[in-house]
Each structure stands twice: as C-alpha cells, then as structure tokens.
Amino acid sequence: YLKRHHSSLFQPPLPLHKLHSIQRLGFGTNNKIFVEFDTPWWDADCDVIQLVWEDEDALVDQVPDVQRSWIKKLFGFTVVQPTERYGHLVCGWIAGHESEHMETLSEQEVMHAVTQLIRRFTGNPSITPRRILRSQWFHDPWTNGSYSHLATGCSEQDLKNMMEPLPLNESKARPLQVLFAGEATHLCYFSTVHGALLTGWREADRLISHYSSSNPSARPTSKL
C-alpha cells in the first residue's frame, strides 16, 4: 500500500532516501487455500505434503500461460492440526503472479483446479473436497499483497530507512509527527507477523519514551 500510495499519503512528500528504500524493497503476494475433506487422504502422521513436477525447471518468474499453468505454483499443503479441532483440513500455499491470478477466479474454479491437482498426484479420482476458503491479499485495497522481502539491490540500510520516524533528528520541526511500523520495518523479522507485532511495540515505546522524558521515574519498562 505504501509503495502504491505514498505520493498521495504525505504532504510534504517523504524524504528521497525513504522513497528510494520503499521502491527498492520487494513486496509480493503469498496466498493460502484451505481445503476441507470428509475423510483424510494423507497418512495420520503426515504434517506437510510437497508437490514436485517433472518439468519443474520450466517454472520461471514470468510464466507465459498463467491461466493454464497457475495451479503448478501451488507448491504444497500443510496439514492443519489438531484434527479434533479443525477436522480434515489442509492449507495450500501459492505465491507470485499465479497467486494473483488465482484471486481473479471464482471459488468453484479454484476448487476444481485444486481437486484435479490432488487427484493427479494421489492417483485417486474419487477425492472430492467439501469446500475451500482462500485469501485474496493482492486485490485487497488496503494491502495490495501480503508481505515484503529483500529484493535485488535492497540492503539493511533500506530497512533502517523504513523504520526511521519523521521528521529527521536534525530537523528543528516538532519530532515524531509520523512513525513507521509493520513487518517491512524490522531488521531481522521482516515478512513475519511477529516482526509486525515487535515493530508496533517499538514505536509505542518510542512514543512512551518521548512523552515520559520530563518524568523519567514514571517511564514504564520496554517489552523489547
């Protein structure tokens, strides 16, 4: 969202070094497809199911026929545990341009493709899911994708630039007018939920420290 809307979000605009870091940082889409069955087709001690294609070398970033081959990007399933709570449920993972295309399909189309995929790999033509539930992070107007990654040309300094509050320390303006949190602003745990949580705590502590500076004895202990 920040990549797509920063020019309209901030007036005056963000400093150039922060803009360049936003542009360099990678951001993509990784979706989940939950598939429920009446009975399991996997072993009782199975945790993860990986799918390997004979022509896997042909899978590249830009697939010429995404409409026909998108399901190949679903690289496997995680068995959701415990069965007593969730029933017979697996979670499929799909990323990249194929994941974005999957979001444009109807639920019936996705279920059909997943069903054919499982039947092909198991050799069992009778396997039929009860229902599916899939995420659609790319077309969500408030996210435009799922999470960040270190793209080619990106460095640790870009992550430091991302977490930097505004205005800058050397500015004479009132400090901490804009603060930045989220998984893309953590030096170690980017691309994770706990990274997002930790950065929220970090910025909360920054504000607490700022507003408690006149009374240090009343300052609470940081969670970080």
Side-chain angles (χ1 to χ4, degrees), residues 3 31 41 82 93 119 121 124 131 141-142 148 161 165 192 223:
K3 275 179 170 288
N31 275 309
W41 46 268
W93 300 83
R119 288 177 177 178
F121 272 86
N124 185 346
R131 56 181 173 170
W142 303 110
S148 67
N161 292 344
T192 68
K223 292 186 176 70

Side-chain angles (χ1 to χ4, degrees), residues 14-33:
L14 296 174
L16 277 179
H17 72 285
K18 189 178 279 284
L19 286 177
H20 292 161
S21 292
I22 292 172
Q23 293 164 355
R24 281 192 292 262
L25 195 67
F27 195 81
T29 303
N30 193 354
N31 275 309
K32 297 178 181 179
I33 305 176

Side-chain angles (χ1 to χ4, degrees), residues 90-154:
V90 295
C91 174
W93 300 83
I94 183 169
H97 303 296
E98 295 84 353
S99 182
E100 297 168 8
H101 174 72
M102 180 275 299
E103 295 187 19
T104 69
L105 303 176
S106 68
E107 196 166 280
Q108 290 73 23
E109 289 174 310
V110 175
M111 177 179 280
H112 175 75
V114 171
T115 301
Q116 296 304 116
L117 177 75
I118 294 173
R119 288 177 177 178
R120 180 173 182 175
F121 272 86
T122 61
N124 185 346
S126 65
I127 294 177
T128 303
R130 289 184 58 188
R131 56 181 173 170
I132 68 164
L133 178 67
R134 41 82 185 266
S135 58
Q136 294 173 285
W137 289 111
F138 182 71
H139 288 90
D140 187 310
W142 303 110
T143 57
N144 305 140
S146 51
Y147 41 72
S148 67
H149 63 272
L150 296 183
T152 302
C154 187

Side-chain angles (χ1 to χ4, degrees), residues 65-83:
D65 190 359
V66 174
Q67 293 183 352
R68 292 185 57 189
S69 62
W70 70 268
I71 192 64
K72 285 188 174 183
K73 204 60 174 288
L74 196 156
F75 55 86
F77 297 93
T78 302
V79 178
V80 181
Q81 302 284 2
T83 302

Side-chain angles (χ1 to χ4, degrees), residues 34-35 42 46-47 77-84 86-92:
F34 290 95
V35 193
W42 55 89
C46 179
D47 295 320
F77 297 93
T78 302
V79 178
V80 181
Q81 302 284 2
T83 302
E84 295 77 16
Y86 298 108
H88 307 300
L89 189 68
V90 295
C91 174

